Amino acid sequence: MMEKTNGTTEGYFILLGFSHWPHLEIALFVVIFIFYLLTLIGNLFIIILSYLDSRLHTPMYFFLSNLSFLDLCYTTSSIPQLLVNLWDPEKTISYAACMIQLYFALALGTTECVLLVVMSYDRYAAVCKPLHYTVLMHPRLCQSLAVASWVSGFINSAVHSLFMFWVPLCGHYQVDHFFCEVPALLKLSCIDTHVNELTLMVTSSIFVLVPLILILTSYGAIARAVLRIQSTTGLQKVFGTCGAHLMVVSLFFIPVLCIYLQPPTENSQEQGKFIALFYTVVTPSLNPLIYTLRNKDVRGAVSRLMGRG
């Protein structure tokens, strides 16, 4: 089924996904399809609104638009294939499509880790350095930070993808996951993959644990600044913007940490699929709701847009 010669592979993979629960596949298809539509609509709404309303041309909404575009790309890299496999009993994906999916899913996931750090720094500057905010977060710096987030994610993914490309798969072609990811594919190898696993562990520490520490440090400083705020209106504004970002950070990092920090057991792989499904499908659909439901700036932008219409 799989032959690897001179670094090229011909054939296909079978993504086992949730085939151990065939009675759940139709229900999962419907639920995932609904969440995918919500993700598309909600994130496109934020991107378009931030572009059309001049009052939202601020660093916060610039980074939020980047996050929305990132979530659109991230879900689209895996969810359409998952929907096809839930409906199709064969559940196949070509080798080339699998490698492309692996590259973009890893690149976009890494980019989100870095972008969430940048967004936390923006909130830190807004709350702790309000008088210097426009100087600290000038447009050129914001653009550079956004570009750095994207570039770091794609470079990290390129390293893993190149390592993965040269791993011989020895005829095994059943991937015990619903999308192509490095740990699941490494299990198909018949050679020692310690170098790949070590590289994955190091980069995971750099792009998951370090960003989380930086985010928590930023919010520690924000918490100290909040305790000094006497104005009720000021407190509400801080909690409105920082609370939304902190909730988004929690929805992204907690499932990721659960997957990578849980000890390997007989059921950990199956639990990991559902946790991965949460941050791949549910989290990107909730981000627009979290940022818009209690956000006066967004509600005002919608009112102005409808008024012009």
Side-chain angles (χ1 to χ4, degrees), residues 100-155:
I100 291 171
Q101 186 183 77
L102 179 147
Y103 176 74
F104 281 101
L106 183 57
L108 296 166
T110 305
T111 301
E112 182 151 354
C113 291
V114 180
L115 186 61
L116 289 173
V117 175
V118 172
M119 294 175 73
S120 70
Y121 173 71
D122 171 65
R123 292 299 83 207
Y124 163 79
V127 175
C128 300
K129 309 286 184 181
L131 299 179
H132 303 93
Y133 179 69
T134 54
V135 176
L136 291 172
M137 302 303 296
H138 56 84
R140 185 172 295 179
L141 177 62
C142 292
Q143 293 167 6
S144 299
L145 290 172
V147 169
S149 301
W150 287 88
V151 170
S152 62
F154 278 83
I155 289 176

Side-chain angles (χ1 to χ4, degrees), residues 255-291:
V256 170
L257 291 174
C258 286
I259 288 179
Y260 288 101
L261 296 183
Q262 67 174 344
T265 62
E266 187 176 335
N267 297 321
S268 62
Q269 179 65 25
E270 304 304 327
Q271 293 171 356
K273 291 179 189 178
F274 285 98
I275 296 172
L277 189 65
F278 180 84
Y279 73 74
T280 306
V281 178
V282 179
T283 300
S285 68
L286 294 180
N287 289 351
L289 294 175
I290 293 170
Y291 275 107

Side-chain angles (χ1 to χ4, degrees), residues 9-292:
T9 303
E10 296 179 358
Y12 58 85
F13 292 106
I14 294 177
L15 294 173
L16 295 178
F18 302 97
S19 55
H20 296 305
W21 300 278
H23 57 286
L24 289 178
E25 288 190 325
I26 297 300
L28 282 172
F29 178 90
V30 174
V31 172
I32 292 169
F33 181 72
I34 291 171
F35 272 105
Y36 184 51
L37 286 180
L38 291 174
T39 299
L40 295 179
I41 294 168
N43 286 289
L44 281 172
F45 169 77
I46 286 180
I47 293 170
I48 294 171
L49 189 67
S50 299
Y51 175 77
L52 292 178
D53 193 283
S54 59
R55 297 190 189 183
L56 299 184
H57 293 176
T58 63
M60 175 181 169
Y61 290 99
F62 170 73
F63 294 127
L64 182 56
S65 296
N66 272 266
L67 180 64
S68 294
F69 180 68
L70 179 61
D71 283 339
L72 284 175
C73 296
Y74 185 62
T75 53
T76 303
S77 71
S78 58
I79 298 308
Q81 181 67 49
L82 172 59
L83 292 172
V84 170
N85 289 347
L86 286 171
W87 196 263
D88 184 4
E90 293 188 358
K91 307 183 186 306
T92 58
I93 183 173
S94 70
Y95 177 81
C98 185
M99 291 298 103
I100 291 171
Q101 186 183 77
L102 179 147
Y103 176 74
F104 281 101
L106 183 57
L108 296 166
T110 305
T111 301
E112 182 151 354
C113 291
V114 180
L115 186 61
L116 289 173
V117 175
V118 172
M119 294 175 73
S120 70
Y121 173 71
D122 171 65
R123 292 299 83 207
Y124 163 79
V127 175
C128 300
K129 309 286 184 181
L131 299 179
H132 303 93
Y133 179 69
T134 54
V135 176
L136 291 172
M137 302 303 296
H138 56 84
R140 185 172 295 179
L141 177 62
C142 292
Q143 293 167 6
S144 299
L145 290 172
V147 169
S149 301
W150 287 88
V151 170
S152 62
F154 278 83
I155 289 176
N156 174 59
S157 183
V159 172
H160 289 294
S161 299
L162 285 173
F163 280 153
M164 193 66 239
F165 183 77
W166 294 103
V167 172
L169 302 177
C170 307
H172 303 289
Y173 58 93
Q174 292 188 338
V175 180
D176 193 14
H177 215 297
F178 63 84
F179 71 103
C180 294
E181 64 159 9
V182 174
L185 291 176
L186 286 178
K187 292 178 181 179
L188 308 184
S189 174
C190 59
I191 65 168
D192 185 10
T193 58
H194 278 97
V195 174
N196 301 70
E197 292 169 1
L198 180 61
T199 305
L200 184 64
M201 184 181 70
V202 171
T203 55
S204 296
S205 300
I206 294 172
F207 288 105
V208 176
L209 295 179
V210 173
L212 185 58
I213 291 170
L214 292 174
I215 290 169
L216 293 176
T217 302
S218 296
Y219 275 96
I222 289 172
R224 290 194 298 272
V226 165
L227 294 176
R228 294 195 296 266
I229 296 177
Q230 303 296 325
S231 168
T232 304
T233 306
L235 280 172
Q236 289 175 346
K237 188 172 183 179
V238 169
F239 283 123
T241 57
C242 295
H245 180 252
L246 196 55
M247 191 176 296
V248 167
V249 168
S250 301
L251 286 172
F252 181 79
F253 277 101
I254 290 176
V256 170
L257 291 174
C258 286
I259 288 179
Y260 288 101
L261 296 183
Q262 67 174 344
T265 62
E266 187 176 335
N267 297 321
S268 62
Q269 179 65 25
E270 304 304 327
Q271 293 171 356
K273 291 179 189 178
F274 285 98
I275 296 172
L277 189 65
F278 180 84
Y279 73 74
T280 306
V281 178
V282 179
T283 300
S285 68
L286 294 180
N287 289 351
L289 294 175
I290 293 170
Y291 275 107
T292 58

